Structures are given as C-alpha cells and as structure tokens.
C-alpha cells in the first residue's frame, strides 16, 4: 500500500477535525450575500449573460468550502439547495423568462462541486481503506475477528452479494442490484474478493491475521476494471498467503483481473507458489493469473479444475513467461481428482518454446482428466507428440492444442 496505517490515520483524523457541516451551511449563507449582488448587477446593466448566472453558485460553493472544509456529499447538498433558492429568488426578482429556471440543475451542480475540499492522495486512501484495516483491532494488538467495521465514508467501497456470504473489496457501491453496500462485515462471510491490486497488501495482511481465514471458502486476490489497485506484483501477497492455513478454502484465484464491463485484462507477477497451497487441503478450483515460479512438484488431493493465464491478447500487459522448469514441476505434480485444465502460456511476440511432460497424462498423476486445453508457443512437433501420448494412454480426454486461444 502506498501509505502506512499511521499516515492514513493521521490524515483521517485531520480531515474529521477540520470538517464542519454547520460551517459549510453558514458559509453558503454568507456567500449568498455577494452572490445576490451579481443579480443586482445583472438588473443594473441589463445584461442577461448566462455566464453571470454561473457566478453566484460558485461564490456560494467556494465560501462554504472555506468555512466547512467538508468532503462528504451529504454535507454539501444543503449548500447546493441554498444556491438553488438564491437563483430562483434572483430570477423572480428580475422577472426573467422561464428559460432561466432551466439552469437550476447546473446551479446546484456548480455549488455542490465547488464546496468540496481538495483531497490529496493520502486523504483519499485514508477514506478508502482505513475502515477496512480493522480486522485485528484489540488493545493488545492480537488478531481477532472484528464483527463491525464502522462506515466513515459516504460511499464506502465494501460490497457484498445479496446472500451476504461474499464480500468484495475495491469496487464501487453503485453496481447492479445483485450487489449492495455493507456497513458491518458479515460474521458468516465465506467469500472474500480483494480487487485492490498488489497495493492492497496491508488490507490482505489484516485479513490473514483474522479468524475469517478459518471459514473462508472462496478467496480471490487481484485487480479489476475499476483499477483501484495499481500494483501488479503480487509476490509479497503470495508469500504472506503461503504462511496461513485455510482449512476450508475450495476456490482460490491469485493475480485475477476481474472484468465488470466489456474490457480486457492486465497481468503481472505472482512470485513463488511452491508453498502456497500446503494450507489448502480442500482446494478444488485454482486460478493463477500472471507469471509464477514453482521449484518442486506438488500434491493437490482435491483439485478438480486448474486454470493458468499469463497474458491478455488485447492489452499484452503481462509479467513475462514462466520457466520451462516451472512448467515441468507443475505437470509432474499429482492431481488424483483433476478433471479440467486450461494452461494458456501465450504472450505477445513470445519466442519461448515449451515442451510438455508426458507423465502428466499418466493414470498415476491425472486418472480423472477429461478436458485439457493448452495454448502457447511449443517446440515443433510437440502438439503432435501430445496427441500421440493421449492415444497411447487410452485417455478419454477432450483435447485442445493451439498457439492461441483466439485463433
């Protein structure tokens, strides 16, 4: 994260100390005095220029900003209403055409926006993330469940599904009705989706120290099209996750790039995943988005679906290729219940040529494999050889081999 908890706490306390909703209203009334003079000026010089009508709400808003120093929308609504009342009064006084009353929404908008104080980067992060950083807030500093997170921001970016078992960090609350803003972190939450990029590491570390790790079943760590998190280097997050036991996690995504609109993905680096899954004995669905390292074969007793993606064909934002040794160790791992596999190694202008380990298709390693999709640059004749190995092993596998998934 760009700022420490202490920096955000100091910034937040300073914002609250300076904020004065009553001062904003008082400032709006005081600003109405010089603003009213503008209407007198319009009457005196007989000018009905629209630009002059935009000056009073600006005066009202700036004065409210100076005295109120408020950042919350609900505290600026009265300022907008005062500017609107002044505008309507001015129009009545000048006996103007009804057309001038159509400026009312614009008048409200100008005063509403101009009344908001400027927030620097640390202020924005403090308002965004400080309410989240309370997974372990007891007096001794020991980790414990925080059943309530007080909402200190008018538009808090903490979202839950209607079923109240999945919570989302890093997406706005003005989403379709299947999502809704929450004020208290649900005690029964079983799905945690962190769309904060790798810059959200402190939030995730707080989560990893909480008791929620004992009940979470769906865990997603990545970014999204809302781009609230800018970092794509998940190495430290991967290391932190590898030190925690997730007794009930069944679905795990690392380096995900979630699309909430018609867009494309971006990928970075995940780091060393060698020890990341030893604490996930019930893992059934694994997604890895981005370049990673694996230094030895692993054992996945319950895994049924594996998906790997290094790049997006459109954005071409990626963390580089994986090594042949990493691919070998992955394919030498044991997957007694694995059914579906998609390994997409394609990268823009990729010049790395891979080979596939034969034993991956053996009855010992993948006895239940039914679907295998492999994309990327492989050595000449490698795809033909894989086809031959499948036939030799009498595998009933739906096999797809291609350089690109989008050919």
């Amino acid at each position: 994260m760009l700022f420490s908890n202490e920096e955000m706490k100091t910034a937040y306390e300073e914002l609250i100390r300076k904020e004065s909703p009553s001062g904003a209203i008082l400032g709006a009334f005081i600003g109405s005095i010089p603003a009213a003079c503008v209407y007198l000026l319009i009457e005196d010089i007989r000018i009905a220029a629209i630009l002059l009508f935009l000056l009073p709400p600006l005066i009202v808003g700036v004065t409210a900003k100076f005295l109120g120093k408020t950042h919350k929308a609900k505290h600026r609504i009265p300022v907008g209403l005062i500017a609107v009342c002044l505008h309507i009064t001015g129009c009545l006084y000048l006996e103007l055409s009804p057309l001038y009353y159509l400026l009312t929404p614009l008048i409200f908008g100008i005063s509403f926006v101009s009344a908001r104080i400027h927030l620097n980067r640390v202020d924005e992060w403090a308002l965004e993330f400080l309410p989240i950083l309370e997974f372990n807030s007891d007096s001794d500093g020991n980790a414990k469940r925080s059943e309530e997170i007080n909402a200190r921001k008018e538009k808090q970016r903490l979202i839950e599904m209607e079923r109240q078992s999945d919570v989302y960090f890093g997406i706005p609350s003005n989403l379709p009705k299947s999502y809704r803003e929450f004020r208290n972190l649900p005690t029964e939450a079983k799905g945690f989706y962190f769309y904060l990029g790798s810059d959200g590491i402190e939030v995730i570390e707080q989560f990893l120290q909480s008791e929620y790790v004992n009940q979470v079943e769906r865990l997603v760590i990545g970014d999204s099209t809302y781009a609230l998190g800018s970092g794509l280097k998940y190495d430290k997050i991967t290391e932190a996750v590898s030190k925690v036991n997730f007794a009930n996690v069944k679905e795990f995504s690392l380096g995900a790039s979630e699309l909430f609109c018609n867009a494309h993905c971006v990928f970075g680096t995940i780091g060393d995943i060698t020890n990341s899954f030893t604490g996930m004995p019930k893992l059934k669905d694994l997604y890895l988005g981005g370049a990673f390292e694996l230094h030895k074969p692993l054992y996945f007793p319950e895994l049924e679906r594996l998906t790997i993606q290094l790049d997006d064909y459109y954005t071409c934002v990626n963390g580089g290729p994986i090594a042949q040794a990493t691919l070998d160790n992955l394919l030498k791992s044991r997957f007694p219940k694995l059914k579906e596999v998609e390994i997409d190694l394609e990268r823009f202008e990729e010049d790395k040529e891979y080979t596939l380990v034969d034993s991956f298709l053996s009855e010992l390693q993948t006895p239940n494999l039914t679907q295998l999709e492999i994309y990327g640059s492989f050595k000449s004749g490698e795809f033909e050889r894989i086809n031959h190995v499948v036939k030799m092993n009498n595998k009933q596998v739906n096999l797809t081999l291609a350089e690109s998934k989008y050919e």
Side-chain angles (χ1 to χ4, degrees):
M1 186 170 283
L2 297 178
F3 305 98
S4 66
N5 291 6
E6 190 60 35
E7 287 177 306
M8 289 193 290
K9 183 178 180 181
T10 301
Y12 184 84
E13 290 175 348
E14 185 69 9
L15 286 171
I16 297 302
R17 185 183 65 82
K18 291 181 177 180
E19 185 179 51
S20 174
S22 58
I25 296 176
L26 177 62
F29 278 115
I30 293 175
S32 298
I33 297 174
C37 295
V38 176
Y39 292 99
L40 297 177
L41 176 65
I42 293 174
E43 179 195 30
D44 184 55
I45 61 179
R46 299 300 177 184
I47 296 177
I50 292 180
L51 289 179
L52 281 179
F53 281 91
L54 306 183
L55 187 58
L58 183 62
I59 296 173
V60 171
V62 171
T63 310
K65 170 184 175 181
F66 179 76
L67 292 181
K69 292 181 171 48
T70 179
H71 61 275
K72 295 181 179 179
K74 66 180 181 181
H75 294 156
R76 290 180 283 129
I77 291 176
V79 176
L81 295 177
I82 290 173
V84 166
C85 291
L86 179 63
H87 174 71
I88 294 175
T89 301
C91 290
L92 291 172
Y93 173 77
L94 296 173
E95 298 180 350
L96 296 176
S97 164
L99 291 176
Y100 288 96
Y101 292 92
L102 297 178
L103 293 174
T104 300
L106 182 60
I107 299 298
F108 179 89
I110 291 174
S111 58
F112 181 83
V113 172
S114 60
R116 185 177 187 266
I117 62 171
H118 172 72
L119 298 175
N120 57 36
R121 188 62 171 155
V122 66
D123 294 332
E124 292 175 351
W125 278 67
L127 293 170
E128 192 74 49
F129 294 112
L130 192 61
I132 305 174
L133 297 176
E134 297 183 6
F135 282 105
N136 61 338
S137 55
D138 63 2
S139 58
D140 299 325
N142 298 321
K144 72 172 186 177
R145 176 181 301 173
S146 176
E147 294 186 353
E148 292 189 355
I149 293 182
N150 296 324
R152 302 189 182 104
K153 185 180 178 187
E154 181 65 20
K155 185 180 179 183
Q156 187 177 350
R157 296 181 188 271
L158 305 178
I159 310 297
E160 64 178 343
M161 292 293 289
E162 287 184 336
R163 62 184 179 184
Q164 297 186 349
S165 62
D166 289 345
V167 292
Y168 293 69
F169 296 77
I171 59 177
S173 57
N174 57 341
L175 287 177
K177 62 181 180 180
S178 57
Y179 298 86
R180 68 184 183 187
E181 184 177 353
F182 66 79
R183 296 294 183 176
N184 301 320
L185 193 62
T187 57
E188 71 278 14
K190 297 184 184 299
F192 283 81
Y193 298 75
F194 295 93
Y195 296 128
L196 303 168
S198 60
D199 290 338
I201 184 170
E202 289 196 18
V203 178
I204 295 172
E205 285 178 338
Q206 296 288 333
F207 163 74
L208 295 178
Q209 296 174 36
S210 74
E211 293 183 8
Y212 283 100
V213 298
N214 298 321
Q215 66 190 52
V216 61
E217 296 180 359
R218 298 170 294 279
L219 178 59
V220 175
I221 297 173
D223 210 331
S224 77
T225 42
Y226 289 103
L228 296 180
S230 57
L232 293 173
K233 293 183 177 293
Y234 295 92
D235 309 54
K236 292 183 178 179
I237 294 177
T238 301
E239 182 181 358
V241 168
S242 67
K243 298 176 182 178
V244 177
N245 290 325
F246 296 91
N248 292 296
V249 163
K250 297 177 182 178
E251 301 174 17
F252 179 48
S253 294
L254 182 58
S257 188
E258 189 69 29
L259 304 181
F260 288 95
C261 62
N262 186 16
H264 291 271
C265 303
V266 292
F267 296 99
T269 57
I270 297 176
D272 187 356
I273 64 170
T274 306
N275 300 312
S276 297
F277 314 112
T278 54
M280 301 181 182
K282 297 182 180 180
L283 184 62
K284 292 181 178 292
D285 193 329
L286 173 61
Y287 173 90
L288 299 175
F292 60 92
E293 302 171 20
L294 182 60
H295 298 293
K296 66 178 182 180
L298 304 177
Y299 176 52
F300 295 88
E302 300 294 328
L303 195 68
E304 297 179 0
R305 183 179 182 185
L306 172 64
T307 306
I308 294 172
Q309 187 174 3
L310 300 187
D311 197 4
D312 184 285
Y313 77 98
Y314 187 85
T315 65
C316 300
V317 176
N318 62 80
I322 62 172
Q324 178 67 55
T326 290
L327 180 61
D328 290 346
N329 286 325
L330 177 68
L331 298 179
K332 289 178 181 178
S333 301
R334 287 190 59 196
F335 305 93
K337 295 186 179 181
L338 190 63
K339 297 178 181 178
E340 301 177 14
V341 178
E342 179 182 327
I343 300 177
D344 188 352
L345 305 179
E346 181 191 6
R347 290 175 58 251
F348 180 65
E349 295 184 345
E350 176 63 88
D351 56 1
K352 190 175 186 65
E353 294 185 336
Y354 294 98
T355 59
L356 210 66
V357 174
D358 291 357
S359 60
F360 176 71
L361 295 168
S362 70
E363 288 298 313
L364 177 64
Q365 286 181 235
T366 55
N368 293 294
L369 188 64
T370 59
Q371 181 171 320
L372 175 60
E373 298 179 36
I374 299 179
Y375 307 98
S377 297
F378 284 77
K379 288 187 176 180
S380 179
E382 189 67 6
F383 286 161
E384 291 78 4
R385 190 183 66 82
I386 297 171
N387 261 309
H388 179 69
V389 171
V390 170
K391 292 178 181 178
M392 287 292 292
N393 289 338
N394 293 317
K395 281 274 192 181
Q396 299 299 315
V397 177
N398 183 6
L399 185 62
T400 302
L401 304 171
E403 290 188 2
S404 175
K405 184 177 181 180
Y406 303 97
E407 288 181 338

